[in-house]
Amino acid sequence: MCWNYPESMITLQKTEGNLKTNQESDSEFVQWIEISNQISSLDQHTLFGCTYVPPEFSKYSSDESFIEIEEELLIFSQGIKNIVIVGDFNARTSSLKDYVDDDINLQEILQIEEDIINDNTSSYSILKENNILQRFNKDTGRVNKYGTKLLDFCKRCNLFIANGRLFSDNGIGHTTCKDASMVDYLLLSPNSFNITTDFEIIDFNPMFSDVHNRVHFTMKIDNDNHQKNLTFNQKVDQHVRWRSDKTNEFIQEINDDPNNSLNELNIMLNKMNENTQVASFIKKLNNLL
């Protein structure tokens, strides 16, 4: 599965058996999509979120935006470890940490519950083992209020910023807006690092956005068995070879038009501007030929 933000979004509608589910969101700042493991190669479901948080000084800004996103994440992510959130947070984070340092002594002093300590230690280890603990960012400007909120959101929800860490953006941290700031992010849960196969910030193109670069990422969630079944059941196209010895017979068939097919095609062609039935026209033409 390949996503590009902001110029396109994948929308998965409900199908029989709830194989694909559109999660109903009450928030104006995020849309959720859950992909069942029945149509993927993963052991668990995968939760995708696409966000837009208006700039903090605009008339549409809301200090509750990050709280709303977090509350819905807690609801929709129950029992799900593969979590992916992408979007424009209008948050400038510089290269500040999006994780809590693995300080066992401090955790014991604060009497943090053991399961939380284990989760944090495991997540910290994933970053450290893959040598992506440090996050890079070309946007070294002032961290704004939403930047602080985003970093706190990541720490509380055990999510990590992919920008400046993965693939072609590793060690760079390209800006995503006006070639000056990083405000568009891909956030991943620890488990999602294993299924992410590509990440990059694509050069700005005015055809796709007013001022934003595209955030491109690819995830490996295909179900090989499902794909094989689909391929096996697909109709194989049969290519008919032209036989020159049948030329006269073909011409005679066209001239006779026993099924009145040419007349029907002519009527359809005349009505094409009024009611575009291109698919039906092509099908009838193929049947005739």
Side-chain angles (χ1 to χ4, degrees), residues 5 27-31 50-69 87-92 144-147 149-150 177 183-185 210 212:
Y5 178 89
S27 174
E28 297 179 351
F29 307 109
V30 61
Q31 288 292 316
C50 185
T51 65
Y52 174 70
V53 177
E56 61 178 291
F57 296 114
S58 74
K59 63 179 181 180
Y60 303 105
S61 66
S62 170
D63 287 339
E64 304 299 315
S65 55
F66 286 88
I67 296 176
E68 282 190 23
I69 296 172
D88 178 3
F89 291 88
N90 274 297
R92 300 183 67 176
N144 63 5
K145 180 173 67 174
Y146 282 2
K149 287 181 177 292
L150 177 61
C177 182
V183 294
D184 306 275
Y185 296 87
D210 52 352
H212 292 267

